Amino acid sequence: MGSGNKPQSERDQASGEVKTVQRALDLLKVVGACESPVGVNEIARRLGKHPSAVSRTLATLEHNGFVERHAESGRFVLGIELIVLASRLLAELDVVRVAKPYLEELANSTRETASISLWNKTEAIAVETVLGPGSIKHIAVPGRRNPAHCTATGKAILSQMPASTLKEILTLGLESYTDRTITQAGALERELHSVRERGYALNVGEFIPEIASIAAAIHDRTERATAAISITMPAFHFTRQSERQFAPLVMNAAATISRRLGYRGTLPT
C-alpha cells in the first residue's frame, strides 16, 4: 500500500517524527561546527528555531550522551556517545592517532594486549586495541564500556577527577561484577588514593574474573585526564613481578602520549 493511502493522522505523525529527527541532526551539526561550547540561544539563532524547542531537543540528546555541558560555562559540546556509535572511525581521533605507535610498542614489549580508552562521564570507553604476540590474547572490543570502579582504565582516570565526579559515581552505586569488585565507598576512595600515589591502576579479576590489567591516565593540553592506556592479560599471567616490570612501561607510554597532546604538568614517575 502506498503512503498516499495511509490515513492523514498516520502521515502527519510520520512527518512529525521525521522533522524531530531532522531537528536533532541539525542541532548536532551546529554544536559540532562550533569551535567553542555553544549556548541554547546561539543554537536557536543559527537554526532559526525557538529556544524552548531547542532546549527540549538538547535535553534529550544530553540524556542520551550525544551532547554534554561544558564544566565551566554550562554551554554544550558534542558527547562521547557519538564516538561509541562511530567506533570504526576512531582512528581519526587525535588521541588515538597519537597513541597508536605507543600501543603497538607496549603490546610488543609486554606481549600482552594494549588498549586506549576515553572517559565518558562515569566510565571509560575502549576505542583502540593492539594485540601482543603472545599465544593467549585478550580482545578489548572498541566501544566496550569499562565501569570506573572496577577496571584499571576507569580507576586510572577517575583517580584524577574532581571529587564531584566520584560523588556522582557513588550515587549511582558500585555494582558488583565478581567477588573482587570494590563495592564500598570508603574502599574505593582508598584505592583511588593509592592509584594517585603510585601513578597507575590495577584490576585483577574485579570486572571479569579471568582478566587482569594495568593502566595509567593520559592528560590533554587542558591538564584534564581524558583517557587511559592499559595492558590487559589473563589473570594467571599477573604477578608482582609482572606488575613491577610492566607498570613503568604503561606509565611511560601514558606520559609520552600526554606530552604529545600538549600536556605540560607534572606526571608520576
Side-chain angles (χ1 to χ4, degrees), residues 159-190:
S159 71
Q160 306 297 310
M161 290 288 170
S164 58
T165 303
L166 175 58
K167 183 178 180 181
E168 180 182 359
I169 289 172
L170 294 177
T171 300
L172 296 174
L174 304 179
E175 182 177 351
S176 177
Y177 293 90
T178 75
D179 58 6
R180 290 177 173 265
T181 303
I182 296 175
T183 57
Q184 300 297 319
L188 180 59
E189 290 172 345
R190 291 190 293 273

CSV table of all heavy atoms in Angstrom, one decimal, residues 159-190:
chain,number,residue,atom,x,y,z
A,159,SER,N,40.8,8.5,39.3
A,159,SER,CA,41.7,9.0,40.3
A,159,SER,C,42.2,10.4,40.1
A,159,SER,O,42.6,11.1,41.0
A,159,SER,CB,42.9,8.1,40.4
A,159,SER,OG,43.8,8.3,39.3
A,160,GLN,N,42.0,10.9,38.8
A,160,GLN,CA,42.5,12.3,38.5
A,160,GLN,C,41.3,13.2,38.4
A,160,GLN,O,41.5,14.4,38.1
A,160,GLN,CB,43.2,12.2,37.1
A,160,GLN,CG,44.3,11.3,37.1
A,160,GLN,CD,45.5,11.6,38.0
A,160,GLN,OE1,45.9,12.7,38.1
A,160,GLN,NE2,45.9,10.6,38.8
A,161,MET,N,40.1,12.7,38.7
A,161,MET,CA,38.9,13.5,38.5
A,161,MET,C,38.6,14.3,39.8
A,161,MET,O,39.0,13.9,40.9
A,161,MET,CB,37.7,12.6,38.2
A,161,MET,CG,37.8,12.1,36.8
A,161,MET,SD,37.4,13.4,35.6
A,161,MET,CE,37.8,12.5,34.0
A,162,PRO,N,37.8,15.4,39.7
A,162,PRO,CA,37.4,16.1,40.9
A,162,PRO,C,36.4,15.3,41.8
A,162,PRO,O,35.8,14.3,41.3
A,162,PRO,CB,36.6,17.3,40.3
A,162,PRO,CG,36.2,16.9,39.0
A,162,PRO,CD,37.3,16.0,38.5
A,163,ALA,N,36.3,15.7,43.0
A,163,ALA,CA,35.5,14.9,44.0
A,163,ALA,C,34.1,14.8,43.5
A,163,ALA,O,33.4,13.8,43.8
A,163,ALA,CB,35.6,15.6,45.4
A,164,SER,N,33.6,15.8,42.8
A,164,SER,CA,32.2,15.8,42.3
A,164,SER,C,31.9,14.6,41.4
A,164,SER,O,30.8,14.0,41.4
A,164,SER,CB,31.8,17.1,41.6
A,164,SER,OG,32.7,17.3,40.5
A,165,THR,N,32.9,14.2,40.6
A,165,THR,CA,32.7,13.0,39.7
A,165,THR,C,32.6,11.8,40.5
A,165,THR,O,31.8,10.9,40.2
A,165,THR,CB,33.9,13.0,38.7
A,165,THR,OG1,34.0,14.2,38.0
A,165,THR,CG2,33.7,11.8,37.7
A,166,LEU,N,33.5,11.6,41.5
A,166,LEU,CA,33.4,10.4,42.4
A,166,LEU,C,32.1,10.4,43.1
A,166,LEU,O,31.5,9.3,43.2
A,166,LEU,CB,34.6,10.4,43.4
A,166,LEU,CG,34.6,9.3,44.4
A,166,LEU,CD1,34.6,7.9,43.8
A,166,LEU,CD2,35.8,9.5,45.4
A,167,LYS,N,31.7,11.5,43.6
A,167,LYS,CA,30.4,11.6,44.3
A,167,LYS,C,29.2,11.1,43.3
A,167,LYS,O,28.3,10.4,43.8
A,167,LYS,CB,30.1,13.0,44.8
A,167,LYS,CG,28.8,13.1,45.6
A,167,LYS,CD,28.6,14.6,46.0
A,167,LYS,CE,27.3,14.7,46.8
A,167,LYS,NZ,27.1,16.1,47.3
A,168,GLU,N,29.3,11.5,42.1
A,168,GLU,CA,28.3,11.1,41.1
A,168,GLU,C,28.3,9.6,40.9
A,168,GLU,O,27.2,8.9,40.9
A,168,GLU,CB,28.5,11.8,39.8
A,168,GLU,CG,27.5,11.4,38.7
A,168,GLU,CD,27.7,12.1,37.4
A,168,GLU,OE1,28.7,12.8,37.3
A,168,GLU,OE2,27.0,11.8,36.4
A,169,ILE,N,29.5,9.0,40.8
A,169,ILE,CA,29.6,7.6,40.7
A,169,ILE,C,29.1,6.8,41.9
A,169,ILE,O,28.4,5.8,41.8
A,169,ILE,CB,31.0,7.2,40.3
A,169,ILE,CG1,31.4,7.7,38.9
A,169,ILE,CG2,31.3,5.7,40.4
A,169,ILE,CD1,32.8,7.6,38.5
A,170,LEU,N,29.4,7.3,43.1
A,170,LEU,CA,28.9,6.7,44.3
A,170,LEU,C,27.4,6.8,44.4
A,170,LEU,O,26.8,5.8,44.9
A,170,LEU,CB,29.6,7.4,45.5
A,170,LEU,CG,31.1,7.2,45.6
A,170,LEU,CD1,31.6,8.0,46.8
A,170,LEU,CD2,31.5,5.7,45.8
A,171,THR,N,26.9,7.9,43.9
A,171,THR,CA,25.4,8.0,43.9
A,171,THR,C,24.7,6.9,43.1
A,171,THR,O,23.7,6.4,43.4
A,171,THR,CB,25.0,9.4,43.4
A,171,THR,OG1,25.6,10.4,44.3
A,171,THR,CG2,23.5,9.6,43.4
A,172,LEU,N,25.4,6.6,41.9
A,172,LEU,CA,24.8,5.6,41.0
A,172,LEU,C,24.9,4.2,41.6
A,172,LEU,O,24.2,3.3,41.2
A,172,LEU,CB,25.6,5.6,39.7
A,172,LEU,CG,25.4,6.9,38.9
A,172,LEU,CD1,26.3,6.9,37.7
A,172,LEU,CD2,24.0,7.1,38.5
A,173,GLY,N,25.8,4.0,42.6
A,173,GLY,CA,26.0,2.7,43.2
A,173,GLY,C,27.2,2.0,42.6
A,173,GLY,O,27.5,2.1,41.4
A,174,LEU,N,27.9,1.1,43.4
A,174,LEU,CA,29.0,0.4,42.9
A,174,LEU,C,28.6,-1.1,42.7
A,174,LEU,O,28.6,-1.9,43.6
A,174,LEU,CB,30.2,0.5,44.0
A,174,LEU,CG,30.6,1.9,44.3
A,174,LEU,CD1,31.7,1.8,45.4
A,174,LEU,CD2,31.1,2.7,43.1
A,175,GLU,N,28.3,-1.3,41.4
A,175,GLU,CA,27.7,-2.7,41.1
A,175,GLU,C,28.8,-3.7,41.2
A,175,GLU,O,30.0,-3.5,40.9
A,175,GLU,CB,27.2,-2.7,39.7
A,175,GLU,CG,26.6,-4.0,39.2
A,175,GLU,CD,26.1,-4.0,37.8
A,175,GLU,OE1,26.0,-2.8,37.2
A,175,GLU,OE2,25.7,-5.0,37.3
A,176,SER,N,28.4,-4.9,41.8
A,176,SER,CA,29.4,-6.0,41.9
A,176,SER,C,29.3,-6.9,40.7
A,176,SER,O,28.3,-7.3,40.3
A,176,SER,CB,29.0,-6.8,43.2
A,176,SER,OG,29.8,-7.9,43.3
A,177,TYR,N,30.5,-7.1,40.1
A,177,TYR,CA,30.7,-8.0,39.0
A,177,TYR,C,31.3,-9.3,39.3
A,177,TYR,O,31.0,-10.3,38.7
A,177,TYR,CB,31.5,-7.3,37.9
A,177,TYR,CG,30.8,-6.1,37.3
A,177,TYR,CD1,31.0,-4.8,37.8
A,177,TYR,CD2,30.0,-6.2,36.2
A,177,TYR,CE1,30.3,-3.7,37.3
A,177,TYR,CE2,29.3,-5.1,35.6
A,177,TYR,CZ,29.5,-3.9,36.2
A,177,TYR,OH,28.9,-2.8,35.6
A,178,THR,N,32.2,-9.3,40.3
A,178,THR,CA,32.9,-10.5,40.8
A,178,THR,C,33.0,-10.4,42.3
A,178,THR,O,32.7,-9.3,42.9
A,178,THR,CB,34.3,-10.7,40.1
A,178,THR,OG1,35.2,-9.8,40.7
A,178,THR,CG2,34.2,-10.5,38.6
A,179,ASP,N,33.6,-11.4,42.9
A,179,ASP,CA,33.8,-11.3,44.4
A,179,ASP,C,35.0,-10.4,44.7
A,179,ASP,O,35.2,-10.1,45.9
A,179,ASP,CB,34.0,-12.7,45.0
A,179,ASP,CG,35.1,-13.4,44.4
A,179,ASP,OD1,35.9,-12.9,43.6
A,179,ASP,OD2,35.3,-14.6,44.7
A,180,ARG,N,35.7,-9.9,43.7
A,180,ARG,CA,36.8,-9.0,43.9
A,180,ARG,C,36.4,-7.5,43.7
A,180,ARG,O,37.2,-6.6,44.0
A,180,ARG,CB,37.9,-9.3,43.0
A,180,ARG,CG,38.7,-10.6,43.4
A,180,ARG,CD,39.8,-10.9,42.4
A,180,ARG,NE,40.6,-12.0,42.7
A,180,ARG,CZ,41.7,-11.9,43.4
A,180,ARG,NH1,42.2,-10.7,43.8
A,180,ARG,NH2,42.4,-13.0,43.7
A,181,THR,N,35.2,-7.2,43.2
A,181,THR,CA,34.7,-5.9,42.9
A,181,THR,C,34.7,-5.0,44.1
A,181,THR,O,34.1,-5.5,45.2
A,181,THR,CB,33.4,-5.9,42.2
A,181,THR,OG1,33.4,-6.7,41.0
A,181,THR,CG2,33.0,-4.5,41.8
A,182,ILE,N,35.2,-3.8,44.1
A,182,ILE,CA,35.0,-2.9,45.2
A,182,ILE,C,33.6,-2.3,45.2
A,182,ILE,O,33.2,-1.7,44.2
A,182,ILE,CB,36.0,-1.7,45.0
A,182,ILE,CG1,37.5,-2.3,45.1
A,182,ILE,CG2,35.8,-0.7,46.1
A,182,ILE,CD1,38.5,-1.2,44.9
A,183,THR,N,32.9,-2.5,46.3
A,183,THR,CA,31.5,-2.1,46.3
A,183,THR,C,31.2,-1.1,47.5
A,183,THR,O,30.1,-0.7,47.7
A,183,THR,CB,30.6,-3.3,46.5
A,183,THR,OG1,30.9,-4.0,47.7
A,183,THR,CG2,30.6,-4.2,45.3
A,184,GLN,N,32.3,-0.8,48.3
A,184,GLN,CA,32.1,0.1,49.4
A,184,GLN,C,32.8,1.5,49.1
A,184,GLN,O,34.0,1.5,48.5
A,184,GLN,CB,32.7,-0.4,50.7
A,184,GLN,CG,32.1,-1.8,51.1
A,184,GLN,CD,30.6,-1.6,51.5
A,184,GLN,OE1,30.2,-0.6,52.1
A,184,GLN,NE2,29.8,-2.5,51.0
A,185,ALA,N,32.1,2.6,49.4
A,185,ALA,CA,32.6,3.9,49.0
A,185,ALA,C,34.0,4.1,49.6
A,185,ALA,O,34.9,4.6,49.0
A,185,ALA,CB,31.7,5.0,49.5
A,186,GLY,N,34.2,3.8,50.9
A,186,GLY,CA,35.4,4.1,51.6
A,186,GLY,C,36.6,3.3,51.0
A,186,GLY,O,37.7,3.8,50.8
A,187,ALA,N,36.3,2.0,50.6
A,187,ALA,CA,37.3,1.2,50.0
A,187,ALA,C,37.7,1.8,48.6
A,187,ALA,O,38.9,1.8,48.3
A,187,ALA,CB,36.8,-0.2,49.8
A,188,LEU,N,36.8,2.3,47.8
A,188,LEU,CA,37.1,2.9,46.5
A,188,LEU,C,37.9,4.1,46.7
A,188,LEU,O,38.9,4.4,46.0
A,188,LEU,CB,35.8,3.2,45.8
A,188,LEU,CG,36.0,3.8,44.4
A,188,LEU,CD1,36.9,2.9,43.5
A,188,LEU,CD2,34.7,4.1,43.7
A,189,GLU,N,37.6,5.0,47.7
A,189,GLU,CA,38.3,6.2,47.9
A,189,GLU,C,39.8,5.8,48.3
A,189,GLU,O,40.7,6.5,47.9
A,189,GLU,CB,37.7,7.0,49.1
A,189,GLU,CG,36.3,7.6,48.6
A,189,GLU,CD,35.6,8.2,49.8
A,189,GLU,OE1,35.9,7.9,50.9
A,189,GLU,OE2,34.7,9.0,49.5
A,190,ARG,N,40.0,4.8,49.1
A,190,ARG,CA,41.4,4.4,49.5
A,190,ARG,C,42.1,3.9,48.3
A,190,ARG,O,43.3,4.1,48.1
A,190,ARG,CB,41.3,3.4,50.6
A,190,ARG,CG,40.9,3.9,52.0
A,190,ARG,CD,41.1,2.9,53.1
A,190,ARG,NE,40.2,1.7,52.9
A,190,ARG,CZ,39.0,1.7,53.4
A,190,ARG,NH1,38.4,2.7,54.0
A,190,ARG,NH2,38.2,0.6,53.2
